[in-house]
């Protein structure tokens, strides 16, 4: 500290002084104060209570025929529900795990698991696939039954997903995410 | 700034009274009237004034638009249509503002290219240059958020893609994106905060512009020779020489601007933005506004999410360090034969990237985008340091005045004598000296 070079009676002329300690202590208290008052101003931008309230969407899927899809909204995002054809299921099953870009199932309903077709489809209903329809690259909505792997194709920057919604080619890093869901009865799907 | 403390004596007692308490009149006199400016500035130097004019235009039309706009997803789209159809002169305000964003970027790109060509980023103008880069980044953020406000398809999907860039950050990425959205997708909370920030940022820009001009007035203008000002023979006072020239350039610029506003107001926009945002359907082709296309092309050139995002941000941030990447002692490309070629290839590269950014991200387009991205970075990271060492510059003129004289001698041998050109400055500066 330049000021300690000349002894002004408040501390020693050389080395650390009590004044240095006071400066640092004052600065530290001010930093903590600024930090704690800044937090409310930052946190106000996070999703508010209304958006957080885990809204769930209930869908009647009894009318969904083989090879048909429907889209419902959940938390402002589209959810794809597809009753896959046997060929689509076969195609997805045949892919060895070593060929996958993302080997994580991304399915919270089963905990963690490998991205096999069984781990991606609804448990016990291998024809049914329920996924969040948001490209894991930059968030566009992929088009169904398109692309080089007969699954989904994102036109924004060219990501190809297969018939189990797994990323196969293009810039997207992850498989399409699967939302938490449950089946209160055969024909009702509850997302969320 | 030189204007601290009154040095000038004003005849008007009220002005004198004010100036001795707040020397604002002498400051304006020193900085905008008698300020010595190289006498050889060409029209590329008028873009600074044009940019100032554009900032004022955007703020005036923006505030008047805000009097009629409403940042709510339920009505925002209709509200903009109301501005177009019902509000008195609403169509004019909106077109001046929407076309203005494009004109603003056109001017800023010319301004930056000027700086690169004539070496204006080099010592002693590094801080001036870096403040300019910060202004460019703020302008991009402002324009991006403004484009979201009409809540059309391009607004919503552009916002989705750009905010998702942050999700590439490892670990905290997804939380940052949700924090930016205020939800789990681009929605009402997002529109609201974007409006608040779109209103704020232009005033932040105005603040940085003041610092930018302050830094300019410390170092003084660069000029086409890149040779520093050596004596008063090299300069003319800002007023009337540059005020008139800048004013003339602004008028020419306004003609072009007015042509767009009145004849092809939607030419630079995208028709999909006249369709209300639908979170379930992404348009087949999402493209940003033309002025962001080169950066978008670089993002897509990289086949990896995080990598693409890093390259895109790096393409802007690299501009901050070029004062230290360029090793040449000569400023102006006029005397740097190799750098001149490298510069023009870089300009072509930026235009090519702009074209590729608008094309679909497949096949040959991606390969070309990769080649041009390499040159974009290679120009700064390899050519700038290397050319400064291996290139032999052409001989520099002794002074700005010498250069001007050598040129005009060929035409009118005795009109521009050294003393003749020096007189106006002495005359205008006279009230300063007592
Ligand atoms: C740096 C200066 C600014 C830039 C580059 C800019 C850019 C833009 C752009 C690109 C749009 C979209 C135009 C369209 O397609 O409709 C827009 C809209 C808008 N801006 Fe700005 N703006 C600036 C300053 C301001 C200011 C100071 C305000 C004041 C509040 C403002 C208020 C608005 C409003 C209300 C809209 C929505 C109406 C509309 O879409 O035309 N802007 N801005
Ligand atoms: S958002 Fe789907 S590929 Fe980029």
């Amino acid at each position: 500290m330049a000021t300690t070079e000349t002894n002004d009676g408040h501390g020693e002329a050389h080395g650390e002084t009590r004044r240095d300690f006071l400066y640092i202590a004052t600065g530290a208290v001010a930093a903590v104060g600024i930090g704690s008052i800044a937090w409310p101003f930052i946190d106000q931008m996070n999703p508010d209570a209304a958006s957080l309230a885990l809204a769930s969407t209930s869908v009647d899927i009894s009318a969904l025929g083989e090879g048909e899809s429907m889209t419902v909204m959940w938390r402002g995002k589209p959810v794809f529900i597809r009753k896959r054809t046997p060929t689509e299921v076969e195609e997805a099953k045949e892919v060895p795990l070593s060929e996958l870009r993302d080997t994580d199932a991304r399915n919270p309903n089963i905990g963690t698991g490998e991205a096999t077709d069984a781990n991606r489809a609804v448990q016990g209903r291998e024809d049914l696939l329920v996924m969040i329809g948001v490209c894991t690259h930059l968030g566009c909505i992929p088009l169904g039954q398109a692309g080089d792997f007969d699954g989904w194709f994102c036109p924004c920057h060219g990501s190809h997903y297969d018939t189990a919604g797994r990323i196969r080619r293009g810039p997207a890093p992850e498989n399409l995410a699967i939302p938490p869901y449950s089946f209160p009865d055969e024909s009702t799907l509850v997302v969320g | 700034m030189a204007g601290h403390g009154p040095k000038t004596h004003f005849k008007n007692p009220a002005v004198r009274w004010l100036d001795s308490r707040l020397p604002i009149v002498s400051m304006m006199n020193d900085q905008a009237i008698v300020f010595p400016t190289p006498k050889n500035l060409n029209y590329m130097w008028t873009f600074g004034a044009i940019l100032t004019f554009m900032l004022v235009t955007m703020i005036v039309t923006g505030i008047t638009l805000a009097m009629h706009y409403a940042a709510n997803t339920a009505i925002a789209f209709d509200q903009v249509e109301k501005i177009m159809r019902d509000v008195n002169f609403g169509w004019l305000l909106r077109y001046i503002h929407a076309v203005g964003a494009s004109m603003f970027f056109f001017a800023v790109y010319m301004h930056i290219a000027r700086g690169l060509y004539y070496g204006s980023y080099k010592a002693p103008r590094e801080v001036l240059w870096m403040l300019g880069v910060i202004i460019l980044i703020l302008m991009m953020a402002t324009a991006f958020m403004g484009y979201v406000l009409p809540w059309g398809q391009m607004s919503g999907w552009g916002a989705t893609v750009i905010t998702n860039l942050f999700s590439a950050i490892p670990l905290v990425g997804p939380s940052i994106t949700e924090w930016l959205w205020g939800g789990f997708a681009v929605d009402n909370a997002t529109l609201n905060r974007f409006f608040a920030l779109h209103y704020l940022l232009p005033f932040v820009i105005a603040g940085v512009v003041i610092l930018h001009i302050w830094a300019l007035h410390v170092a003084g203008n660069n000029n086409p020779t890149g040779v520093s000002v050596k004596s008063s023979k090299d300069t003319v006072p800002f007023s009337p020489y540059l005020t008139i020239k800048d004013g003339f350039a602004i008028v020419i610029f306004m003609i072009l601007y007015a042509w767009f506003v009145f004849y092809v107001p939607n030419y630079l926009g995208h028709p999909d933005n006249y369709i209300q945002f639908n979170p379930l359907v992404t348009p087949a082709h999402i493209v940003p506004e033309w002025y962001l296309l080169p950066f978008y092309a670089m993002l897509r050139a990289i086949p990896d999410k995080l990598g693409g995002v890093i390259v895109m941000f790096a393409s802007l941030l690299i501009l901050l360090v070029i004062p230290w990447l360029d090793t040449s002692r000569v400023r102006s490309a006029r005397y740097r034969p190799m750098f001149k070629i490298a510069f023009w290839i870089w300009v072509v590269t930026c235009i090519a990237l702009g074209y590729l950014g608008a094309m679909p991200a497949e096949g040959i387009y991606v390969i070309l985008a990769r080649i041009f991205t390499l040159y974009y970075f290679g120009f700064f990271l390899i050519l700038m340091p290397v050319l400064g060492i291996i290139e032999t510059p052409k001989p520099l003129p002794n002074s700005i005045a010498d250069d001007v004289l050598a040129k005009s001698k060929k035409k009118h041998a005795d009109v521009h004598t050294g003393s003749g050109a020096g007189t106006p400055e002495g005359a205008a500066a006279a009230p300063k000296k007592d």
Side-chain angles (χ1 to χ4, degrees):
Chain A
M1 308 229 46
T3 51
T4 56
E5 297 299 330
T6 53
N7 193 338
D8 57 2
H10 291 286
E12 282 138 38
H14 300 290
E16 289 149 28
T17 64
R18 273 197 295 176
R19 176 159 290 189
D20 284 337
F21 172 76
L22 287 175
Y23 280 143
I24 292 167
T26 312
V29 170
V32 170
I34 291 169
S36 49
I37 198 60
W39 179 243
F41 289 88
I42 295 167
D43 191 40
Q44 54 81 24
M45 278 174 67
N46 272 316
D48 65 10
S51 337
L52 279 179
L54 235 188
S56 55
T57 307
S58 175
V59 212
D60 179 3
I61 55 164
S62 55
L64 198 64
E66 192 183 290
E68 286 179 358
S69 312
M70 60 193 288
T71 305
V72 294
M73 285 297 266
W74 175 67
R75 281 182 153 188
K77 293 175 176 173
V79 170
F80 294 160
I81 307 163
R82 178 157 179 86
K83 202 170 201 172
R84 298 181 295 171
T85 62
T87 359
E88 287 175 346
V89 175
E90 271 323 297
E91 236 178 283
K93 279 184 166 169
E94 275 166 13
V95 183
L97 275 180
S98 58
E99 266 186 35
L100 296 178
R101 288 262 299 273
D102 177 15
T103 51
D104 190 320
R106 310 274 165 201
N107 184 353
N109 303 295
I110 60 157
T112 49
E114 287 183 323
T116 57
D117 186 62
N119 279 344
R120 296 275 304 165
V122 172
Q123 297 300 292
R125 287 286 307 272
E126 68 167 19
D127 58 332
L128 259 192
L129 189 60
V130 180
M131 313 181 293
I132 297 179
V134 173
C135 181
T136 58
H137 182 225
L138 296 175
C140 293
I141 312 292
L143 304 165
Q145 289 66 63
D148 294 353
F149 300 88
D150 306 326
W152 284 264
F153 172 68
C154 182
C156 285
H157 317 98
S159 287
H160 300 256
Y161 298 89
D162 66 13
T163 54
R166 296 172 298 197
I167 179 67
R168 301 297 294 279
R169 187 183 304 149
E174 290 176 11
N175 301 328
L176 289 177
I178 290 174
Y181 52 69
S182 57
F183 287 88
D185 59 69
E186 269 288 277
S187 58
T188 313
L189 163 70
V190 177
V191 182
Chain B
M1 281 192 205
H4 295 303
K7 283 176 287 169
T8 322
H9 287 282
F10 298 99
K11 288 198 192 84
N12 185 322
V15 172
R16 213 181 312 139
W17 180 88
L18 171 66
D19 203 61
S20 58
R21 284 155 181 82
L22 177 72
I24 189 167
V25 191
S26 3
M27 189 192 85
M28 292 311 288
N29 185 55
D30 291 350
Q31 301 300 319
I33 310 289
V34 299
F35 186 69
T37 319
K39 59 162 84 156
N40 59 340
L41 298 186
N42 60 32
Y43 272 99
M44 288 306 285
W45 263 264
T46 60
F47 282 102
I50 289 172
L51 285 163
T52 313
F53 161 77
M54 279 316 308
L55 182 59
V56 173
T57 306
M58 294 309 279
I59 289 179
V60 172
T61 53
I63 291 176
T64 43
L65 280 170
M67 293 179 185
H68 307 279
Y69 175 77
N72 183 306
T73 52
I75 54 173
F77 184 81
D78 297 337
Q79 207 65 26
V80 172
E81 278 312 297
K82 267 187 80 165
I83 292 175
M84 295 300 290
R85 293 153 200 256
D86 299 349
V87 174
N88 300 330
F89 290 107
W91 60 273
L92 182 63
L93 298 178
R94 173 155 182 260
Y95 281 154
I96 293 178
H97 197 77
V99 173
S102 285
M103 300 302 289
F104 204 166
F105 275 92
F106 168 67
V108 85
Y109 288 146
M110 297 298 276
H111 193 67
I112 293 170
R114 184 281 318 263
L116 276 174
Y117 187 84
Y118 294 111
S120 303
Y121 50 88
K122 291 156 83 109
R125 296 184 185 81
E126 301 95 321
V127 172
L128 171 58
W129 171 264
M130 290 161 83
L131 288 166
V133 178
I134 291 169
I135 294 172
L136 173 67
I137 294 172
L138 288 171
M139 272 175 68
M140 289 182 166
T142 308
F144 158 65
M145 290 194 264
Y147 197 55
V148 176
L149 303 184
W151 208 240
Q153 274 288 67
M154 284 297 157
S155 303
W157 289 107
T160 301
V161 166
I162 301 297
T163 48
N164 262 305
L165 292 178
F166 295 91
S167 72
I169 303 169
L171 299 176
V172 290
S175 336
I176 292 183
T177 328
E178 281 177 11
W179 176 73
L180 289 171
W181 289 337
F184 301 102
V186 170
D187 210 333
N188 196 50
T190 325
L191 177 61
N192 242 294
R193 64 192 54 185
F194 277 20
F195 183 45
L197 294 173
H198 184 68
Y199 209 133
L200 167 72
L201 285 188
F203 296 92
V204 176
I205 294 176
V208 184
V209 167
I210 290 172
L211 297 180
H212 187 73
I213 294 175
W214 184 0
L216 168 71
H217 283 215
V218 172
N221 290 88
N222 185 24
N223 68 86
T225 65
V227 174
S228 301
V229 168
K230 290 188 177 136
S231 72
S232 62
K233 280 186 186 164
D234 292 340
T235 64
V236 289
F238 191 82
S239 212
Y241 294 92
L242 273 296
T243 35
I244 283 295
K245 186 170 180 171
D246 284 344
F248 177 68
I250 289 174
V251 170
I252 300 293
F253 188 82
M254 279 201 277
I255 293 173
L256 178 68
Y257 188 179
W259 181 74
F260 273 106
V261 168
F262 292 107
Y263 291 96
V264 282
N266 290 305
Y267 180 71
L268 297 165
H270 197 291
D272 277 10
N273 224 26
Y274 282 103
I275 303 169
Q276 190 165 0
F277 175 48
N278 178 353
L280 283 180
V281 181
T282 310
H285 249 85
I286 39 171
V287 281
E289 295 267 85
W290 70 266
Y291 41 79
L292 301 176
L293 285 173
F295 304 96
Y296 192 58
M298 289 193 254
L299 165 79
R300 299 192 310 179
I302 312 299
D304 174 78
K305 179 166 164 179
L306 181 60
V309 173
I310 290 174
V311 163
M312 190 184 81
F313 284 109
S315 66
L316 279 169
L317 296 178
I318 197 169
L319 294 173
L320 288 172
V321 295
I322 63 167
W324 296 276
L325 288 175
D326 189 340
T327 51
S328 174
R329 275 171 292 112
V330 175
R331 288 200 190 96
S332 172
R334 193 190 264 185
Y335 307 102
R336 301 186 58 191
M338 290 164 93
F339 178 82
K340 193 190 244 175
I341 297 168
F343 168 84
W344 284 113
I345 298 176
W346 181 82
V347 170
V348 171
T349 294
C350 292
I351 296 169
L353 283 170
Y355 168 78
L356 293 168
M359 293 296 114
E362 54 197 36
I364 182 77
Y365 297 124
V366 178
I367 295 166
L368 287 174
R370 284 182 193 153
I371 296 171
F372 286 116
T373 303
L374 265 178
Y375 187 80
Y376 181 95
F377 284 95
F379 173 66
F380 295 123
L381 291 173
I382 299 168
L383 294 179
M384 272 198 168
V386 172
L387 287 186
I389 297 164
I390 64 170
E391 152 188 82
T392 320
K394 291 195 214 158
L396 295 177
N398 282 327
S399 70
I400 296 170
D402 270 11
D403 183 59
V404 173
L405 279 177
K407 275 195 183 133
S408 55
K409 243 174 205 159
K410 289 173 201 154
K411 294 176 193 165
H412 324 279
D414 45 13
V415 176
H416 291 271
T417 60
S419 64
T423 317
E425 186 187 38
K432 213 170 129 188
K433 299 165 193 147
D434 24 311

